[in-house]
């Protein structure tokens, strides 16, 4: 009998989304100065011009929520609603964010495959949250500079929410990204400059266009969306984390978000705060401001001049507003920052697909190349559990051409196919 009642009470996806759950969003804090900002009003950067971090009443959260309750819910980022700032269920803007799998790529090596998310990249996590919060706060027009995937996720979630979106891409952004942005309802422009030129256009357009600036970390909620990678990883690994995490680092939202997730989980006692993973920031050697600052012992990273072209466009970010948050997390975790050469990225990308059937994105391949390099120089050992992040589908990138053709009007030379 009891079992029957239990199964009746088990929330199905529909019920779960219909119910308003208690929220614990308390206030925001400047990531650098720690000064407080009120919840439930619109914010951009802090007074110091730095990213704002969301703070929760974690004592209250842990009194009302336990891991068994979470386990009964459907997977995906909304499973962790109490750790997120959206107050009202009606403001959730969703395209079906699933729990992404951990795919094995060898002994002690796992890849968290974020390519399965809506719009084919983990930018969906951040923009799902940011657009939901924009809806909650009554924002109806948003604009963003992008190298591709963030713009696509913004376009999709904004259209889903009935918001107008304006997206500015450097003119060397891959055609597929520009087209997917347009197809998903945004107004999109190619700009004859770099991502920072696009950012300037968004900033200066705020006044005449009345749009809200959705640039990376210039609004507080994308970090919370990316934080769910850390919550989900801990949950999937039975609340024990890997020894080391390799993260392809551009603006660093995901690395900052995961580190924040681990801090929150440790604070409520769901994971052991003394056994957190070493966080490794991976960049391409053509644009590696975080690696340079890490090696120089600096807390802030200067602008990387003349960022070199790389297939791994998602990590080509010459200057990051959250630089100190990335560097703080890497250092606190006992991790490091590493740059990989373009040819090792391309070689890993093609070889892993050919040999294992797993088509990573080039940014994901960069983390693999960095893992190999770190094994070789002894920064990581092969008996440690490592998790790499594959953040977008490999299908968005131009693949090497193939030239084989077969004439079906003539006898096939089967021996020649071998
Ligand atoms: C945006 C992006 C990154 C970098 O993510 P951040 O959290 O902004 O550092 C890495 N890989 C891909 C495929 C991306 O689109």
């Amino acid at each position: 009998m009891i079992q029957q009642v239990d199964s009746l009470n088990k929330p199905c996806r529909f019920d779960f989304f219909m119910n308003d759950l208690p929220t614990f969003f308390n206030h925001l804090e400047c990531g650098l100065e720690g000064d407080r900002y009120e919840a439930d009003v619109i914010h951009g950067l802090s007074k110091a011009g730095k990213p704002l971090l969301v703070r929760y009443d974690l004592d209250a959260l842990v009194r009302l929520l336990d891991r068994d309750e979470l386990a009964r819910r459907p997977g995906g980022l909304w499973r962790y609603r109490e750790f997120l700032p959206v107050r009202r269920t009606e403001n959730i803007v969703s395209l079906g964010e699933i729990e992404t799998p951990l795919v094995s790529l060898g002994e002690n090596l796992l890849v968290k495959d974020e390519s399965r998310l809506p719009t084919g990249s983990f930018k969906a996590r951040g923009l799902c949250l940011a657009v939901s919060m924009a809806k909650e706060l009554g924002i109806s027009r948003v604009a963003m500079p992008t190298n591709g995937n963030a713009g696509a996720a913004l376009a999709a979630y904004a259209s889903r929410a009935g918001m107008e979106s304006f997206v500015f891409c450097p003119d060397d952004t891959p055609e597929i990204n520009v087209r997917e942005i347009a197809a998903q309802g945004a107004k999109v422009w190619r700009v004859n400059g770099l991502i920072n030129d696009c950012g300037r256009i968004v900033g200066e357009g705020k006044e005449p266009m009345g749009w809200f600036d959705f640039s990376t970390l210039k609004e507080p909620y994308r970090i919370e969306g990316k934080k769910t990678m850390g919550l989900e990883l801990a949950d999937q690994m039975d609340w024990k984390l890997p020894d080391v995490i390799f993260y392809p680092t551009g603006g660093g939202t995901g690395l900052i978000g995961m580190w924040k997730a681990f801090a929150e989980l440790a604070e409520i006692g769901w994971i052991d705060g003394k056994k957190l993973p070493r966080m490794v920031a991976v960049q391409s050697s053509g644009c590696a401001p975080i690696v340079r600052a890490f090696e120089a012992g600096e807390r802030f990273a200067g602008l990387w001049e003349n960022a070199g072209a790389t297939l791994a466009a998602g990590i080509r970010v010459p200057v990051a507003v959250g630089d100190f948050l990335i560097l703080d997390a890497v250092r606190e975790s006992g991790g490091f920052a590493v740059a990989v050469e373009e040819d090792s990225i391309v070689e890993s990308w093609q070889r892993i697909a050919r040999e294992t059937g797993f088509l990573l994105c080039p940014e994901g391949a960069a983390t693999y190349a960095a893992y190999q390099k770190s094994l070789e120089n002894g920064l990581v050992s092969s008996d440690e559990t490592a998790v790499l992040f594959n953040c977008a589908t490999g299908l968005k990138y131009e693949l090497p051409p193939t030239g084989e053709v077969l004439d079906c009007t003539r006898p096939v030379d089967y021996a020649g196919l071998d």
Side-chain angles (χ1 to χ4, degrees):
M1 280 312 276
I2 288 176
Q3 241 167 355
Q4 247 179 347
V5 173
D6 268 349
S7 69
L8 280 177
N9 285 340
K10 204 169 177 167
C12 72
R13 188 169 288 268
F14 183 72
D15 286 344
F16 176 59
F17 274 110
M18 291 307 289
N19 292 337
D20 270 326
L21 293 171
T23 50
F24 303 94
F25 180 10
N26 205 47
H27 64 279
L28 301 106
E29 256 172 45
C30 171
L32 185 65
E33 306 288 348
D35 47 328
R36 276 171 82 110
Y37 297 77
E38 217 182 312
D40 306 310
V41 292
I42 297 174
H43 293 291
L45 291 170
S46 73
K47 291 188 198 99
K50 300 297 176 192
L52 289 173
L53 300 174
V54 177
R55 297 298 180 206
Y56 298 87
D57 182 350
L58 293 173
D59 292 338
L61 183 155
V62 76
R63 277 199 301 274
L64 280 168
L65 182 69
D66 60 34
R67 298 185 297 192
D68 294 339
E69 159 61 20
L70 275 195
R72 282 192 288 270
R73 296 178 184 175
L77 70 82
W78 294 109
R79 171 183 270 198
Y80 309 102
R81 261 194 79 175
E82 286 88 344
F83 292 88
L84 297 172
V86 181
R87 299 224 191 259
R88 308 192 49 167
T89 299
E90 66 193 36
N91 293 323
I92 288 180
V93 182
S94 172
L95 285 162
E97 300 72 31
I98 60 157
E99 172 182 324
T100 63
L102 284 168
V103 181
S104 155
L105 209 60
E107 215 181 322
N108 299 326
L109 183 61
L110 296 166
V111 181
K112 187 139 172 77
D113 187 15
E114 295 283 297
S115 73
R116 323 280 180 111
L117 288 164
T119 74
S121 87
F122 73 164
K123 293 292 192 301
R125 290 189 192 263
L127 273 309
C128 178
L129 251 290
V131 170
S132 297
M133 285 306 288
K135 183 174 174 195
E136 189 149 272
L137 296 168
I139 292 167
S140 60
R141 264 186 157 206
V142 295
M144 177 197 275
T146 181
N147 281 330
N149 287 330
L154 173 67
Y157 283 94
S159 294
R160 186 82 173 166
M163 277 175 211
E164 267 186 294
S165 59
F166 298 80
V167 178
F168 301 86
C169 318
D171 56 8
D172 61 356
T173 301
E175 194 60 33
I176 181 69
N177 293 119
V178 183
R179 290 189 189 186
E180 65 175 326
I181 292 166
Q184 287 161 179
K187 298 202 173 98
V188 58
W189 286 268
R190 292 182 185 79
V191 177
N192 57 346
L194 290 177
I195 184 100
N196 31 324
D197 299 302
C198 300
R200 181 174 44 79
I201 292 170
V202 169
E204 289 172 6
K206 271 196 275 192
E207 192 75 1
M209 295 298 290
W211 61 43
F212 184 75
D213 187 344
F214 251 50
S215 305
T216 308
L217 297 184
K218 288 194 181 163
E219 66 75 52
Y221 305 109
R222 254 162 94 178
I223 293 183
E224 296 304 295
K226 289 271 194 93
K227 183 179 87 177
T228 62
M229 288 192 291
L231 301 173
E232 195 173 289
L233 182 66
D235 190 352
Q236 279 175 310
M237 298 187 76
D238 214 11
W239 309 101
K240 287 175 211 69
L241 290 162
D243 297 304
V244 52
I245 290 178
F246 284 80
Y247 186 79
T249 306
T253 323
L255 195 150
I256 297 165
M258 278 195 278
W259 194 242
K260 184 170 187 285
F262 301 153
E264 291 173 1
L265 291 175
E267 192 175 330
I268 62 173
W270 287 14
I271 59 170
D272 182 351
K274 291 192 199 69
K275 287 196 193 133
L276 299 184
R278 312 206 290 290
M279 304 297 286
V280 180
V282 178
Q283 298 200 299
S284 125
S285 57
C287 182
I290 299 298
V291 180
R292 185 174 64 188
F294 177 79
E295 284 170 355
E298 311 270 358
R299 188 163 186 223
F300 298 92
L303 170 77
W304 186 277
E305 303 278 355
N306 304 320
T310 168
L311 207 55
I315 53 177
R316 190 178 177 222
V317 178
V319 60
V321 255
D323 53 357
F324 64 102
L325 294 170
I326 305 170
L327 288 157
D328 287 358
V330 166
R331 291 191 177 113
E332 269 170 41
S333 73
F336 54 95
V338 55
V340 286
E341 300 292 330
E342 187 68 8
D343 25 341
S344 73
I345 297 177
V346 176
E347 194 274 329
S348 304
W349 185 46
Q350 296 180 356
R351 186 170 49 79
I352 293 164
R354 195 170 56 238
E355 291 177 0
T356 75
F358 192 172
L359 183 62
L360 299 167
C361 61
E363 295 84 347
T367 65
Y368 183 86
Y371 172 71
Q372 289 300 335
K373 188 170 170 178
S374 309
L375 280 179
E376 279 158 30
N377 61 23
L379 284 167
V380 172
S381 90
S382 57
D383 53 10
E384 291 183 297
T385 307
V387 170
L388 314 181
F389 272 80
N390 184 53
C391 301
T393 166
L395 294 173
K396 286 201 198 195
Y397 302 77
E398 198 170 339
L399 296 166
T402 169
E404 304 295 343
V405 293
L406 197 61
D407 183 352
C408 66
T409 66
R410 321 186 69 156
V412 174
D413 169 18
Y414 285 101
L417 300 183
D418 218 348

